[in-house]
Amino acid sequence: MNEGRCIKCSSCMRACPVLNDPQGKTFPGPRTVGIDAPRFPEALSIGNDALMCTMCHACEWACPSSITITRSMSMLRERLADAVPSLPGHQRMRENVREYGRTVTSDFTDWKESGERTLYFPGCIGLGRLPELVRSASKLLSSMGIPHDISPQAKCCGSPLLKVGAKQEASSLQQNNLETFSAYDNIVTSCPGCTYQLREVYGIESKHLVELMPGKKYRSTVEGRWALQVPCHLKRGLDPWAAEYMAAVLVQAGVDLVRLPEEDLCCGGGGGLLSGFPDTSASLARSKVRTYREAGVRGVITACPFCALNLGREGLLVLDISQVLTVVD
Amino acid sequence: MRTALVVGLGAAGTFASICLAKKGWKVLAVGKGTSSCAMSTGCLNGSGMDPECLRELSRLFQASGMPLVGGVDEKRTGITNLGTRYDCTLSAPGSTWVQGNGPQSVTVLGMGKHPSLRPNLVASVLRSWGMDARPQIVPMDIPGESSLTAAFRDQGRLDRLINSIKEAWGETVLLPPLFSLKDYGRLNELERLGGRRLKEAITPLGTPGERFHQVLEDGAREAGVEIWYGRRVTALRTEGDLITSADVQGGLETRTVDLDAVLLATGGPLTDGLLLRQTGLDDPFGLFLVKESGEGPHDLMRSGYAHRGGRLLSRSGTPMANAFAAGDCLAFSLRSPGKGLGDATSSAWDAVHTMEVP
Ligand SMILES: Cc1cc2nc3c(=O)[nH]c(=O)nc-3n(C[C@H](O)[C@H](O)[C@H](O)COP(=O)(O)OP(=O)(O)OC[C@H]3O[C@@H](n4cnc5c(N)ncnc54)[C@H](O)[C@@H]3O)c2cc1C
Ligand code: SF4
Ligand code: SF4
């Protein structure tokens, strides 16, 4: 790790959306959690407040010394998991995974098992909370000429478990999933968190739907002015170009798109914040929703189920990119 | 159209990008992390700067709503957030005054317990250099780590601030920087409503540097520069003395881009621009000559890329055909706070005007 290069400039702290939120006062901040605390024998006395972070990578982007702060914070999370009782929301999530293999229960039934070469991996939140998003992503993939399966055998990617330090459970999910994946040549996702986990932790070549979109023509199916909600893991985690494609594809399709400087601020839904600290998570979402309302847009377009869920809860109209486009032949 | 790749989105890289775009280059500017410029106080020393360069810089600031005041050699003074005196030649209007024309009596205004400006400390330092100063606190609760810029978008807080300014003693009120570039005009408004002359304490690692950076970034967008932020140039490929392409890495992706010329504005070791080795600074690309231009072999503050008028030299000392550099990564830079921004913009101007490629 490269924490030794910290120059104590606090750029990470200034960039952190949780610290900048009135409900985020008790978060010790990225420098404290990632760099300072782990150096001391009393590190674990920092307690569960260290988990008050969405893993949005904003601190990492801000760091002039290129310190991989989110990774450093994850290491402390791992140590904390054994030392302090886990938060009720995180506990529930782990129980769900133990019981159903997913972080949330799901009554999704539109599985596709026809032995295609591509597996569409929608992820827990899509399957459990936003089945219409999964169906529209699947439909778009088909019309893009990508026939695919959706397999009930594919379980949680393990990312949420790693975020709460449950390394063992995450790696047994990984083993199960890799077995399922072995029947396919390509894995396509619609959740940036899953994509990041598959690429960075599993080390396999998965693609987010958005990354497959350039090169084809699309038509908008929505009216009115829209803004973007750029997912953190897509832009800062995986591939900054993918976020740019997203905008380019929408504009080409004829969506009336407004680019706001705040479009890539975290929605508050990631990193276990939503399950562990629902009030803070909602407060972050509310302040984003306020920004969008002030901009006078009809709603926002995103490419992440967590963004869709968290901003949607605050009453904003949020659609996935697959819900606003059709392919033009 | 010829393509220039600019590496580094600090003061040097962003300003050079603007100038190159205006000279007809297609510019791709790649950068990552908070630049020194965004961490600086946004005040600069323009001595030695080409008047044309200053004109261009002034034009950018004028267009942003936060004009630059001062000149190449004008002496201006302000007060830092520690109460010490700060001299420069160019700054935002709310930060400094013409030397000799400063206030006799100052109220130092703290925002609750926020650590941005500690009124008792600052007032006592000011008194120690002969200024009549008194501390005052605006009653409000703002957590220490949170940004004042966000807090003062709230009208209720602004109203309380205006009341405190009205009650303040003396001719001038010193306060911490509160407004982002977009809201800079509010400082004038506060001055009018509060009935006192206002000065922002000169503060590094906060809003003033971010504003300075924003002016340049907006200028670059306006000039049609393609900006790839959050990405790092990891390798440059050569054919003889010519750089032909570059690898750019962002997230887990890496792309290769073709180019006709490259301008390195990667900053010093602090921002990861030069490698810090046991033996001194080195070029992370492994291509260019790095030398110490100071007294001793370990004078890190003075070492950096060797160059001729901004043109880089190969490791064997011969000039490169299409590689240039500006700013803190150059050997001539003193890297002393207070001179860096002036050097960065001047050297960017010089490099752009020597940029001719085969
Ligand atoms: C806390 C602080 C306060 C200061 N205060 C003042 C002041 O008040 N007045 C003043 O005049 N000067 C001040 N300075 C100095 C001044 O800010 C710098 O000298 C000046 O900004 C340097 O500009 P630059 O563009 O050369 O480098 P930088 O601003 O450092 O920019 C270089 C950029 O390039 C990026 N980069 C490096 N390598 C790569 C790569 N391979 N790929 C992509 N990007 C890369 C870096 O991450 C960085 O963002 C201050 C500096 C600091 C740190
Ligand atoms: S990842 Fe995001 S929320 Fe977490 S500390 Fe960094 S900036 Fe803050
Ligand atoms: S931004 Fe990086 S260098 Fe600065 S305090 Fe944070 S971790 Fe340290």
Side-chain angles (χ1 to χ4, degrees), chain B residues 312-334:
Chain B
L312 287 167
L313 307 179
S314 73
R315 281 180 104 80
S316 58
T318 55
M320 298 296 296
N322 63 345
F324 306 82
D328 264 6
C329 62
L330 289 179
F332 78 91
S333 285
L334 293 172

Side-chain angles (χ1 to χ4, degrees), chain A residues 12-20 27-31 33-34 50-62 69-70 73 77 232 236 266 270 273 284:
Chain A
C12 53
M13 309 285 257
R14 287 192 293 280
C16 174
V18 175
L19 280 180
N20 281 318
F27 179 48
R31 195 187 76 209
V33 178
L51 307 181
M52 239 171 130
C53 145
T54 64
M55 290 277 152
C56 73
H57 297 268
C59 49
E60 212 161 284
W61 266 43
I69 308 176
T70 45
M73 290 192 296
R77 284 178 172 216
C232 302
R236 287 182 290 267
C266 181
L273 193 76
L284 262 83

